[in-house]
Amino acid sequence: MKKYYDCLNVSEAEFKELLHGENKSRCNAAGRAFMAERVNVLKPRRIEWSAALFNAAEELGGLKPGEEFTYPNAQGGISIARVVDLYDLPEGMVNPFLYCFSGVMHAPLYAFEALRFYAKKTGQLLPFISSGKEGNKGLFVDLFYRMEGLIRKTEYDSYYAIMDELGDRNWVYENYTLCDDDDTEGNLVELYEFAKMRSLDEVTFVMVSGNPYYDKRLLAEWMWQLRQEKFSEVRINLVLAHCPMWYSYNRYVIPEAQVGSEIAMGYIAASLGPLYKDTITFDGKTTSERPERYLMPGVAEADWEMFYDLIVNYSNMGWPNYQELLYGVDHETAVENIILSDLFARASFTPEDYDSGISMMLEDYKYFLGGGYDRTSQKFEDYLLRTTEKKFF
């Protein structure tokens, strides 16, 4: 297996001594930061990818509009999680909110597409909400934890800032709340607390992640969590809008929208890697002492060997136990793979890459819409109705 130690400023022996000696084999956020402070990447590595890999990843991790899943809820009944087309959100939802999250920094464009086509269809304006502090095991701390720039402070602050470039400021920030979550379960807790704060007995979150590989993981984890008593005061309905695969080939290439980038590969690996770990079937069968997610259709039958290189060598946002479970990699080697992937990912982008890339992307997107929103002379709802009938994704 390629290790790419020749791309580092330390030898293989020095790398392993740092990692397993001083760092005590940690690969959490602190452990990753420890290694990043001491090991530099001197040159990028060659990334192996193919269109077939990306398509297979979407097939495994994504879901198709029209799919539904039933699961027990905390209210003692049965809920249905629905998968819908980004451009055809359902009518009749109870207290719906357009929820944009997950770290993909062009996700707000997916959310805006859903927003404007829902407005065209119903004449209604979906309220907007976002959450997500830093996530990704600290990989993006230097990106978000700045006070200036389009990408700043936290993931959700950046999402709100991007939406503010596109829409009415009062609409964008109407439901803004401070968030503390750092993981998937934390996001769900934030949403639940938000609904309680608004004194809602029932709420629908239309989930837009911008990540076409993330659908199964997200629903598998949230449906399982929503049976817990701590979510009993508010019935949460899940409507997941599948985001079509999209990579930019022109001038505004941000890392996760660049075909075969370290960051893009990491998002795919993090979406697929956990799908087979600590699962429970919908009828209650499990071999895990602490199940964390439902076993989704197609996961057990998947050709996991096809994703070996992806999950073993590019899991810059994942954990070593995915490699151990799926491929029998020993723990020490799996930790080395995670840290190597993390180092290459950190070296593959700068905050300025994101700022300039997203700024150019927003300008092109506004042009696509037929012009940007003029908040001094237009009603936001009227503006949405007049935007192009064409689909961006």
Side-chain angles (χ1 to χ4, degrees):
M1 185 189 305
K2 298 177 182 177
K3 289 295 185 181
Y4 307 99
Y5 291 106
D6 60 331
C7 299
L8 306 181
N9 68 326
V10 297
S11 67
E12 179 177 352
E14 290 170 323
F15 174 85
K16 291 184 176 182
E17 174 56 32
L18 274 172
L19 176 57
H20 301 302
E22 291 185 54
N23 193 40
K24 299 179 180 178
S25 300
R26 294 179 302 164
C27 60
N28 58 7
R32 292 163 185 247
F34 177 93
M35 294 299 294
E37 290 167 3
R38 291 160 177 79
V39 180
N40 294 322
V41 170
L42 302 177
K43 60 181 180 180
R45 59 178 173 173
R46 181 179 178 182
I47 296 177
E48 304 290 343
W49 69 274
S50 68
L53 175 68
F54 280 43
N55 290 329
E58 183 180 19
E59 183 69 24
L60 174 57
L63 290 166
K64 294 179 173 59
E67 293 189 76
E68 295 184 345
F69 302 91
T70 58
Y71 60 96
N73 58 37
Q75 291 72 40
I78 299 295
S79 287
I80 300 175
R82 291 182 286 171
V83 184
V84 301
D85 191 299
L86 182 75
Y87 290 98
D88 189 20
L89 303 185
E91 299 183 53
M93 296 181 287
V94 179
N95 295 322
F97 287 85
L98 182 62
Y99 175 51
C100 186
F101 67 108
S102 87
V104 174
M105 296 317 297
H106 53 286
L109 270 64
Y110 283 96
F112 204 83
E113 286 288 275
L115 171 78
R116 67 189 190 91
F117 274 84
Y118 185 79
K120 290 174 181 291
K121 177 181 176 180
T122 67
Q124 298 174 359
L125 189 62
L126 281 175
F128 177 75
I129 187 173
S130 182
S131 69
K133 189 177 179 182
E134 101 185 22
N136 299 328
K137 310 302 178 290
L139 176 63
F140 294 126
V141 168
D142 291 339
L143 175 64
F144 292 120
Y145 282 25
R146 304 178 298 150
M147 297 309 294
E148 297 181 357
L150 187 59
I151 309 304
R152 60 180 185 267
K153 295 170 66 174
T154 66
E155 174 189 308
Y156 70 93
D157 280 301
S158 301
Y159 275 19
Y160 279 107
I162 292 171
M163 292 299 277
D164 188 41
E165 293 287 319
L166 297 172
D168 178 75
R169 182 163 296 164
N170 291 329
W171 168 78
V172 171
Y173 285 100
E174 180 181 4
N175 299 295
Y176 178 91
T177 57
L178 295 175
C179 297
D180 293 320
D181 61 271
D182 282 317
D183 56 23
T184 306
E185 182 175 6
N187 277 308
L188 182 57
V189 173
E190 295 281 6
L191 293 178
Y192 177 72
E193 294 299 325
F194 167 81
K196 284 176 56 178
M197 186 172 58
R198 293 295 193 276
S199 299
L200 298 172
D201 296 324
E202 185 174 358
V203 65
T204 302
F205 290 109
V206 180
M207 301 177 288
V208 180
S209 71
N211 182 347
Y213 320 101
Y214 190 42
D215 299 348
K216 283 183 184 173
R217 178 186 169 183
L218 179 66
L219 284 189
E221 294 174 6
W222 281 15
M223 289 189 298
W224 177 242
Q225 291 162 16
L226 282 173
R227 83 198 187 287
Q228 299 177 58
E229 186 178 353
K230 67 180 181 181
F231 296 111
S232 61
E233 293 183 45
V234 182
R235 182 184 178 111
I236 295 178
N237 302 312
L238 303 177
V239 174
L240 188 148
H242 178 70
C243 298
M245 196 189 325
W246 176 82
Y247 289 96
S248 132
Y249 292 90
N250 53 20
R251 63 193 181 99
Y252 50 79
V253 176
I254 57 176
E256 56 263 33
Q258 181 178 358
V259 172
S261 75
E262 294 279 354
I263 304 302
M265 299 290 275
Y267 271 109
I268 303 174
S271 300
L272 303 185
L275 285 177
Y276 210 11
K277 176 183 174 292
D278 290 317
T279 58
I280 185 169
T281 62
F282 283 92
D283 59 3
K285 297 177 182 177
T286 182
T287 58
S288 172
E289 294 181 1
R290 297 182 60 185
E292 298 178 0
R293 57 189 60 80
Y294 283 111
L295 179 63
M296 299 295 281
V299 170
E301 304 82 12
D303 177 13
W304 284 97
E305 287 303 313
M306 183 174 187
F307 305 106
Y308 178 91
D309 183 54
L310 173 74
I311 292 173
V312 169
N313 288 317
Y314 297 99
S315 289
N316 48 63
M317 306 174 200
W319 289 109
N321 48 20
Y322 309 153
Q323 301 173 45
E324 297 166 28
L325 172 67
L326 291 168
Y327 306 114
V329 179
D330 68 89
H331 180 70
E332 190 171 279
T333 301
V335 170
E336 293 168 12
N337 294 337
I338 292 289
I339 295 298
L340 280 168
S341 181
D342 178 90
L343 291 170
F344 281 107
R346 288 172 188 260
S348 71
F349 71 90
T350 68
E352 291 72 27
D353 291 335
Y354 278 89
D355 283 341
S356 61
I358 291 176
S359 293
M360 288 187 284
M361 182 173 65
L362 286 172
E363 289 306 308
D364 284 359
Y365 181 58
K366 291 175 186 177
Y367 179 81
F368 167 81
L369 294 175
Y373 171 61
D374 183 353
R375 63 187 64 184
T376 64
S377 62
Q378 291 178 295
K379 283 188 62 177
F380 187 43
E381 295 91 328
D382 293 340
Y383 165 74
L384 292 174
L385 295 177
R386 289 198 297 269
T387 57
T388 180
E389 298 295 327
K390 296 179 181 179
K391 300 174 181 179
F392 187 74
F393 297 108

